[in-house]
Amino acid sequence: MPSPIEFEICAAIERRGWAVEAAFLPGTAIAALRTEAQRRDAAGAFHRAGVGRGASRVERSDIRGERILWLDQHSRCAAEVPLWEALASLRAALNEA
């Protein structure tokens, strides 16, 4: 059975095709993710975002000026556990909707 937040997300996606939910993760989980992101940033783990794929990939700061770090569910850290669990639960709710 979906949680009330998952139900709202599913309903919003059905109505608009997208959803924004500020309460998707508790504040403590967000704070832990922020701390971990700052630690990884200081360690140089983030990379400049690019445009295109493979051999046609280029870094264009006029299009994408941010730095990114892809998360990997299989090598997750403790701070990411609540995020991955929430995403798995949301995936199940969406599949049931």
Side-chain angles (χ1 to χ4, degrees):
M1 178 101 179
S3 73
I5 289 174
E6 292 167 343
F7 179 80
E8 288 300 320
I9 291 171
C10 291
I13 291 172
E14 184 178 12
R15 282 191 314 271
R16 298 186 301 256
W18 55 273
V20 175
E21 179 52 61
F24 182 65
L25 289 176
T28 54
I30 294 168
L33 286 167
R34 180 186 322 108
T35 299
E36 180 62 18
Q38 290 169 336
R39 184 193 70 74
R40 290 182 186 182
D41 189 28
F46 281 72
H47 303 283
R48 290 183 60 198
V51 178
R53 294 177 187 235
S56 65
R57 183 186 181 280
V58 294
E59 292 177 0
R60 296 264 319 265
S61 60
D62 58 318
I63 297 173
R64 293 195 66 187
E66 75 272 17
R67 291 176 303 114
I68 61 171
L69 174 68
W70 289 98
L71 299 179
D72 181 354
Q73 182 177 5
H74 303 290
S75 61
R76 60 187 174 186
C77 68
E80 294 173 9
V81 170
L83 171 64
W84 289 112
E85 288 175 350
L87 289 172
S89 183
L90 177 60
R91 181 183 313 113
L94 289 166
N95 286 337
E96 292 175 13

